[in-house]
Amino acid sequence: MIILSMSLLAELKYQETGRHILRTKQYCQILSDALRHGRKYNNGLNYSDIENIERLAPLHDIGKVEIPEKIFLKPGKLNEEKFEVMKTHQLWELMCCSLL
């Protein structure tokens, strides 16, 4: 429930991020299923690992809620300074996810 609530924060702030979160979760489900059934990795991933990948996938961009809208919603390419700010979303994600 906490994970869903956190991912909804990003979705409420930015609609496109919400759709991106759902697409990424679906991609992770497809890839995890392929890895589980593939001969090369079937001994490396157990059901619990795959379940965690699918459950946590929606949080991969949760840190973007901390990025100022003028940067996040800017059309076109970001300059170097704004791109550095955008990259900090990963630090916010780490902080949020470390609390789970």
Side-chain angles (χ1 to χ4, degrees):
M1 187 61 135
I2 292 171
I3 293 169
L4 179 60
S5 298
M6 289 174 66
S7 64
L8 284 174
L9 284 173
E11 185 174 356
L12 290 172
K13 187 166 183 182
Y14 306 117
Q15 284 187 337
E16 181 54 36
T17 295
R19 289 187 290 271
H20 172 71
I21 288 169
L22 294 176
R23 285 191 309 270
T24 301
K25 182 177 181 179
Q26 291 169 339
Y27 294 149
C28 286
Q29 289 169 331
I30 292 166
L31 291 170
S32 296
D33 190 53
L35 289 172
R36 182 172 64 228
H37 292 100
R39 292 173 50 194
K40 186 174 182 180
Y41 296 104
N42 63 353
N43 293 326
L45 289 176
N46 61 43
Y47 185 74
S48 178
D49 294 332
I50 292 167
E51 192 175 75
N52 283 333
I53 291 169
E54 293 174 1
R55 183 173 55 89
L56 295 172
L59 294 180
H60 82 280
D61 270 346
I62 191 66
K64 287 185 177 174
V65 299
E66 286 295 322
I67 303 300
E69 288 185 13
K70 67 181 181 180
I71 294 175
F72 189 82
L73 298 176
K74 181 188 176 297
K77 188 174 180 177
L78 297 173
N79 66 28
E80 190 173 325
E81 179 184 341
K82 290 179 179 159
F83 186 61
E84 289 301 316
V85 172
M86 181 63 89
K87 290 191 304 187
T88 66
H89 82 278
Q90 297 167 345
L91 299 173
W92 289 103
E93 290 156 19
L94 180 62
M95 187 177 70
C96 289
C97 291
S98 69
L99 300 173
L100 297 176

